């Protein structure tokens, strides 16, 4: 598990190529490629893990598949966040925060839905079927939303900012509605994680909540006819003018400044603290002394906490800036919070375990909008 986790981290160093790919071929094509790579890698991983495909050295292949899946995921998220930043110029912190919150809660949602419909012990061989579910769900959700994701024209953006739209919920309420749905999803996922032991299955409710954003499309969808992008044909004059090279002011100039390395070290420490939990949370839950901690509940708790952090992290940092404090002070608080979380995890018992997981999830989640 440690070796596979290290491969995932190592591939993270190469995910900058996802942004370059998005700039080269456009948001929609890059999103489709990332979806197919991610779902395909998990599908092959599931076949090997369940001994459908027999290989001589599964560990090396597992590492390669995890790295490939990590890259496909980065292409998907890079495409989505690129579209969000272009569709909400100047005020994208709210929409991006909601999207990052959904990314953060995805792991917990998937785990709780699977365990709800296919209950099994944490150490049962049937639990490996979850990888099939992960492959199918990660591909299905992206493919269902793919026709709706694109970069809107200036006229459409002006109509939306003026409050004009075809949906039953006006554009001014879109962000508030999505925040409310995200909070409801977090609450349902966390409740589901602790109610499985009581024989209560909230997985159908989670699926209903996942479908609630479709309300923004009723009574009829906004215009989703294909638009020309950089990959589809000539760009309009204003689009061509605003297009920036991926290398403009990029790594070659950043590494010359000491602030870059300080920022890198701080982000590395916080992300490392969160990744340790995402990689080893199941083993940590199984090895705790005292009452047994459920791995699924621990994963859901971490996912919910980091989802809340992603949802409100950007807004909280904006408040810090409005108080005339520099935004990097937020990183100081996050490193202290992550250190406190890991310190609490050293204590025995369920309460310190879940409290430490919550604090680590919050610190991990708030980092991403920054």
């Amino acid at each position: 598990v440690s070796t596979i986790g290290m491969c995932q981290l190592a591939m993270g160093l190469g995910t900058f190529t996802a942004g370059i790919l998005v700039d080269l071929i456009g948001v929609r094509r890059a999103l489709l490629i990332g979806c197919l790579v991610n779902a395909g890698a998990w599908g092959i991983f599931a076949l090997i893990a369940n001994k459908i495909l027999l290989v001589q050295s599964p560990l090396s292949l597992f590492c390669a598949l995890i790295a490939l899946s990590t890259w496909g995921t980065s292409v998907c998220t890079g495409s989505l966040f690129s579209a969000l930043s272009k569709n909400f110029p100047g005020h994208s912190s709210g929409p991006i925060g909601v999207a990052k919150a959904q990314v953060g809660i995805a792991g917990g949602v998937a785990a709780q839905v699977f365990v709800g419909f296919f209950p099994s012990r944490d150490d049962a061989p049937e639990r490996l079927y979850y990888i099939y579910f992960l492959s199918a769900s990660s591909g299905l959700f992206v493919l269902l939303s793919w026709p709706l994701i694109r970069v809107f024209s200036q006229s459409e953006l002006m109509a939306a900012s003026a409050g004009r739209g075809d949906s039953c919920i006006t554009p001014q309420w879109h962000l508030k509605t999505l925040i409310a749905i995200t909070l409801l999803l977090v609450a349902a996922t966390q409740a589901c994680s602790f109610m499985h032991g009581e024989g209560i299955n909230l997985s159908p409710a989670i699926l209903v909540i996942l479908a609630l954003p479709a309300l923004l499309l009723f009574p009829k969808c906004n215009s989703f006819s294909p638009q020309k992008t950089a990959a589809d044909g000539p760009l309009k004059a204003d689009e061509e003018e605003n297009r920036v090279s991926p290398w403009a002011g990029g790594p070659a100039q950043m590494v010359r400044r000491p602030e870059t390395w300080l920022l890198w070290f701080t982000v590395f420490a916080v992300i490392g603290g969160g990744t340790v939990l995402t990689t080893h949370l199941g083993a940590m839950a199984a090895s705790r002394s005292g009452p047994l901690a459920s791995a699924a509940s621990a994963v859901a708790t971490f996912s919910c906490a980091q989802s809340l952090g992603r949802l409100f992290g950007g807004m909280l940092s904006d408040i810090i800036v409005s108080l005339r404090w520099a935004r990097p002070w937020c990183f100081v608080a996050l490193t202290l919070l992550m250190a406190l979380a890991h310190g609490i995890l050293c204590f025995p018992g369920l309460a310190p375990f879940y409290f430490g997981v919550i604090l680590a999830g919050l610190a991990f989640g708030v980092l991403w909008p920054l």
Side-chain angles (χ1 to χ4, degrees):
V1 173
S2 299
T3 303
I4 295 174
M6 287 299 297
C7 291
Q8 185 179 21
L9 289 177
M11 188 61 206
L13 298 175
T15 53
F16 71 92
T17 58
I20 298 176
L21 181 66
V22 173
D23 287 330
L24 289 177
I25 67 175
V27 168
R28 289 168 57 82
R29 294 177 183 174
L31 182 63
L32 186 59
I33 290 175
C35 167
L36 296 177
V37 170
N38 182 40
W42 278 118
I44 298 173
F45 193 106
L47 292 174
I48 298 174
N50 288 281
K51 296 182 173 57
I52 305 299
L53 287 179
L54 300 178
V55 296
Q56 294 293 331
S57 179
L59 180 59
S60 58
L61 192 53
F62 282 157
C63 292
L65 291 171
I66 285 293
L68 196 60
S69 171
T70 302
W71 184 82
T73 302
S74 69
V75 173
C76 290
T77 54
S79 302
L80 177 61
F81 294 140
S82 175
L84 286 174
S85 61
K86 293 176 182 176
N87 288 334
F88 297 93
H91 49 88
S92 59
S93 60
I96 288 181
V98 171
K100 285 185 175 294
Q102 296 286 344
V103 172
I105 194 64
V109 168
Q112 294 308 312
V113 170
F114 178 82
V115 172
F117 286 111
F118 308 100
S120 62
R121 301 188 317 273
D122 289 344
D123 57 350
E126 294 81 6
R127 187 60 65 90
L128 289 175
Y129 295 156
Y130 171 72
I131 310 177
Y132 288 119
F133 176 78
L134 186 62
S135 172
S137 59
S138 61
L140 180 63
F141 275 103
V142 175
L143 291 177
L144 288 176
S145 60
W146 183 77
L148 308 178
I149 297 175
R150 62 181 176 87
V151 178
F152 289 90
S153 65
Q154 289 295 324
S155 60
E156 290 172 312
L157 294 177
M158 292 177 62
S161 62
R164 299 190 300 271
D166 296 326
S167 62
C168 60
I169 301 177
T170 58
Q172 291 88 340
W173 284 92
H174 283 182
L175 181 59
K176 300 180 180 67
T177 302
L178 290 175
I179 290 176
I181 292 174
T182 302
L183 292 175
L184 184 61
L185 182 62
V186 169
T189 302
Q190 189 62 69
C192 184
S193 68
F194 291 107
M195 288 186 177
H196 282 316
E198 306 295 330
I200 302 175
N201 182 14
L202 295 181
S203 298
I206 292 178
L207 293 179
V208 172
I209 296 172
L210 286 175
L212 288 180
L215 292 174
L216 301 181
L217 304 178
F218 288 104
K220 62 179 180 179
C221 299
N222 292 328
S223 176
F224 288 108
S225 56
Q227 299 280 324
K228 283 190 175 182
T229 64
D232 300 325
L235 293 170
K236 296 180 181 178
D238 57 342
E239 292 173 329
E240 185 67 50
E241 182 180 352
N242 292 330
R243 189 177 183 188
V244 180
S245 168
W247 296 106
Q253 296 182 19
M254 289 175 59
V255 296
R256 301 175 185 177
R257 303 185 62 88
E259 297 92 332
T260 299
W261 297 102
L262 292 172
L263 180 63
W264 178 87
F265 181 80
T266 304
V267 172
F268 179 84
V270 177
I271 290 182
T275 305
V276 166
L277 294 186
T278 58
T279 306
H280 300 285
L281 201 50
M284 292 171 62
S287 62
R288 299 281 295 189
S289 60
L292 181 64
S294 169
S297 297
V299 170
T301 300
F302 183 83
S303 295
C304 291
Q306 71 152 319
S307 178
L308 291 175
R310 293 174 186 237
L311 181 61
F312 296 110
M315 303 176 193
L316 292 176
S317 69
D318 289 340
I319 294 175
I320 296 297
V321 173
S322 69
L323 297 175
R324 299 185 180 278
W325 286 74
R327 202 180 302 270
W329 281 106
C330 297
F331 291 103
V332 177
L334 292 183
T335 52
L336 293 175
L337 184 62
M338 183 62 76
L340 177 63
H342 281 263
I344 293 175
L345 287 172
C346 295
F347 291 90
L350 285 180
F353 176 66
Y354 282 109
F355 187 49
V357 168
I358 290 172
L359 293 183
L362 287 172
F364 187 72
V366 171
L367 176 71
W368 296 101
L370 300 181

